Amino acid sequence: MLTVLVLSLLGGYIFSLLHIPIPWMLGPIGFVMLAQFIYKGPLKWSGQMCDLGVVMVGTAIGVEFNSDLFGMMSSILFYMITVNVILIGGSIGIAYLTCKWAKIPMKAAVLGAIPGGLSQIVVFAEEEKVIEIGVISYFQVIRLLLVVVFVPFIVSGQVISKQPTDAKLTISLVLLIALAWVCSHLTKRIHLPVACFITPIILLIMLQLTTPMAMPQVPGTVMDVAQLLIGAHIGLMLKPHMIKLPVRVLAGGIFSSFALIALTYGSSFLMSSAMDTTFATSFLSTAPGGLDQMVLLADAVNGEVSLVTMFQTFRLLFIFILIMPLLKIFYRWQEKKRDCLQSRRRCSKVFNI
């Protein structure tokens, strides 16, 4: 773990000197990922460290969350549903093209293209007895990596970067992060999606609404540390064995990822014009990346973090609560239809004999 930490610190420092967007996340991703293909020793990073980084991001967002958005929920909900219907419809279309070109089963292509959480998608694929788990994992990982790498450069020129504050790390902020950490572990047990991110936000909003407690400011160093903790984890996601897949499958994953980025890039203009938001905010609200990474980037480019949080959270809930069950029903119907056809064929053979 020490090796990964040193690589992450080195990557973050060099990327910050080069003025690359969100350097303390992209630097660790780049250095750790490259090290996997060069360094022969084991590279490990605790999942708890990544969770802590996500909790820190969630706490920072909760402290600054714009609760006025709840009053606009009726109008925002329409746009959230519309954007996600476009995203899921486009994902299935992209999956169809990928299925034909890369010569992989349609079910695997769909599960590889839908921008949900990697672990939840893989669990779903295992439940559905999909044998191409490696292909699905590669598609999900390469999408996350390409979004994290390319989206910052797309939005970095759109707005003025967030100016550093003179806020200091306070005991109250440390205690809030610790409380959020404990609560996140409790909500994980009830399988709350993205518990380490959503729990701190809910906790901080409740504290603001029910207590006179003054919320502390979040210094930039806290967000830098969170970026590093998350970036080191992402850098280890692309394993060397993943690139041993057929070339068509590797290319298919890259095509699928860029097609999803292009789709959300186009839909973000619709959202921007309809809701009168900046392009950076609308694109980060719709981009098919990880919730924590898109929110970190929104904070870095001074976007509307609360709106990005709401849209990205809704996307995950939309996929987990609605799309996954619908896919399960559809696959069950397909299996019954296939079994029925097979039984009819057997019967026809018996009668022909």
Side-chain angles (χ1 to χ4, degrees):
M1 203 163 99
L2 181 60
T3 305
V4 174
L5 177 60
V6 171
L7 286 168
S8 299
L9 289 169
L10 183 62
Y13 178 69
I14 292 174
F15 274 44
S16 63
L17 290 179
L18 297 174
H19 302 289
I20 291 174
I22 51 170
W24 291 100
M25 184 163 70
L26 291 186
I29 289 173
F31 273 59
V32 173
M33 187 168 61
L34 285 175
Q36 286 197 96
F37 295 90
I38 300 170
Y39 182 64
K40 300 303 180 184
L43 290 173
K44 296 181 180 179
W45 189 249
S46 171
Q48 296 287 332
M49 299 297 286
C50 179
D51 288 346
L52 176 59
V54 176
V55 167
M56 291 167 69
V57 176
T59 304
I61 302 310
V63 166
E64 301 173 358
F65 196 87
N66 181 10
S67 57
D68 292 340
L69 288 173
F70 291 121
M72 303 164 56
M73 184 57 74
S74 57
S75 59
I76 293 175
L77 185 62
F78 170 77
Y79 295 115
M80 289 195 292
I81 293 173
T82 302
V83 164
N84 280 282
V85 167
I86 293 171
L87 177 62
I88 299 303
S91 298
I92 294 172
I94 292 166
Y96 177 77
L97 296 175
T98 307
C99 160
K100 295 298 182 183
W101 189 82
K103 301 187 187 307
I104 58 176
M106 183 63 181
K107 186 183 286 190
V110 169
L111 293 178
I114 288 179
L118 171 61
S119 57
Q120 291 88 351
I121 295 288
V122 169
V123 168
F124 180 84
E126 290 173 343
E127 290 175 353
E128 293 299 310
K129 297 178 174 60
V130 179
I131 61 174
E132 296 83 8
I133 299 295
V135 173
I136 294 169
S137 299
Y138 165 72
F139 270 54
Q140 291 288 338
V141 169
I142 199 67
R143 169 183 57 80
L144 180 64
L145 285 173
L146 291 177
V147 169
V148 169
V149 169
F150 282 96
V151 168
F153 293 97
I154 296 174
V155 300
S156 61
Q158 300 296 322
V159 293
I160 299 173
S161 296
K162 187 176 181 179
Q163 296 301 313
T165 65
D166 57 356
K168 305 294 183 183
L169 182 63
T170 59
I171 295 296
S172 59
L173 179 60
V174 173
L175 291 175
L176 283 175
I177 292 173
L179 179 61
W181 171 257
V182 173
C183 292
S184 297
H185 278 273
L186 295 176
T187 54
K188 259 187 168 183
R189 294 183 178 181
I190 61 172
H191 305 291
L192 177 72
V194 207
C196 289
F197 183 80
I198 294 177
T199 303
I201 294 176
I202 295 173
L203 173 66
L204 268 295
I205 291 174
M206 288 176 62
L207 286 175
Q208 290 184 63
L209 294 176
T210 58
T211 69
M213 177 181 176
M215 291 292 112
Q217 284 190 302
V218 180
T221 51
V222 169
M223 301 304 282
D224 291 341
V225 171
Q227 287 182 34
L228 185 146
L229 296 175
I230 296 168
H233 172 75
I234 296 172
L236 287 172
M237 290 180 72
L238 185 64
K239 305 295 184 184
H241 67 80
M242 287 184 175
I243 63 172
K244 294 178 182 178
L245 293 167
V247 175
R248 276 182 176 267
V249 175
L250 295 175
I254 294 171
F255 161 77
S256 176
S257 302
F258 278 121
L260 279 171
I261 293 172
L263 174 68
T264 53
Y265 183 84
S267 63
S268 67
F269 283 104
L270 296 176
M271 175 183 163
S272 180
S273 60
M275 297 187 63
D276 194 27
T277 58
T278 64
F279 168 76
T281 296
S282 58
F283 187 36
L284 293 172
S285 296
T286 59
L291 169 58
D292 48 344
Q293 297 110 51
M294 296 303 99
V295 171
L296 268 174
L297 185 54
D299 178 73
V301 299
N302 208 19
E304 295 180 48
V305 177
S306 300
L307 193 62
V308 172
T309 301
M310 290 183 71
F311 267 79
Q312 288 287 344
T313 303
F314 184 84
R315 169 171 64 85
L316 291 176
L317 296 176
F318 186 80
I319 290 171
F320 297 152
I321 296 173
L322 182 63
I323 301 303
M324 291 302 185
L326 286 178
L327 283 175
K328 191 178 284 288
I329 292 169
F330 176 72
Y331 291 144
R332 293 289 177 273
W333 174 79
Q334 269 194 331
E335 287 175 6
K336 288 182 179 179
K337 186 178 178 181
R338 185 169 58 251
D339 292 342
C340 184
L341 285 173
Q342 288 175 351
S343 61
R344 284 181 182 177
R345 285 171 184 167
R346 283 195 295 268
C347 289
S348 64
K349 285 181 182 179
V350 171
F351 284 116
N352 287 335
I353 293 172

